[in-house]
Amino acid sequence: MSALGLDLTKNLSYFTIPAVFISCLAPHSYAIATASLKVFDNAQPRGFLDAVAKSETLDKPTKARIMRAEGASANGFETIGLYAAAVVAANTAGVDTKFLNFATLGYVASRYAFLYTYIILGENRKLSTLRSLIWGSGIALIMSLFIKAGYAISK
């Protein structure tokens, strides 16, 4: 058992896909809640960013945070397919459970750290490199799953 109560001797990798999906959806939900339903129009959801930009009720820092949250959400949806494919490839190839758990739980941690640095710390431009490093570490974990799968299947 881990400190979080997880049995790391069992393969937890497939459970991380919903956790990553939540990390994609949560920033969008945060953006809507921050902007309020007066700005978000569910009948025209694609116009949300334009409505935020034109809103006279939101101050500039709030608008910027909403824009960053939407960017973080889009980034997650852009990479979740690659992540899910890596998880399936690694499982299909029979990659070691210990490594699967390390890489997939590490990726989940990187996504949530990315969200925090992008949305909350993002107003400090000097920290943008940290955000990029966190994103890069997550992508490296995805690629490691594919590489391990390649090695496992070629044996």
Side-chain angles (χ1 to χ4, degrees), residues 103-123:
T104 57
L105 292 171
Y107 183 74
V108 170
S110 78
R111 284 306 305 169
Y112 285 91
F114 174 81
L115 295 179
Y116 184 76
T117 57
Y118 198 167
I119 300 166
I120 306 303
L121 302 180
E123 60 196 40

Side-chain angles (χ1 to χ4, degrees), residues 87-96 145-146 148-155:
V87 171
V88 171
N91 274 282
T92 302
V95 170
D96 174 63
L145 287 166
F146 279 120
K148 285 282 201 175
Y151 279 127
I153 206 84
S154 66
K155 288 183 180 179

Side-chain angles (χ1 to χ4, degrees), residues 13 18 25-26 36 45 50 81 85 90 98 100 105 107 117-119 124 127 129 131 143 146 148 154-155:
S13 63
L25 195 57
S36 84
D50 287 337
K98 186 176 179 181
L100 273 169
L105 292 171
Y107 183 74
T117 57
Y118 198 167
I119 300 166
N124 183 343
L127 295 175
T129 302
R131 182 193 78 229
M143 291 303 122
F146 279 120
K148 285 282 201 175
S154 66
K155 288 183 180 179

Side-chain angles (χ1 to χ4, degrees), residues 46-64:
R46 302 261 178 186
F48 179 50
L49 291 178
D50 287 337
V52 167
K54 293 175 185 173
S55 173
E56 294 179 12
T57 61
L58 298 170
D59 61 32
K60 189 174 179 178
T62 302
K63 286 180 181 184

Side-chain angles (χ1 to χ4, degrees), residues 24 69-80 107 111 114-115 118 135 139:
C24 299
E70 285 295 296
S73 181
N75 175 271
F77 283 119
E78 291 161 1
T79 58
I80 192 170
Y107 183 74
R111 284 306 305 169
F114 174 81
L115 295 179
Y118 198 167
W135 180 86
I139 295 299

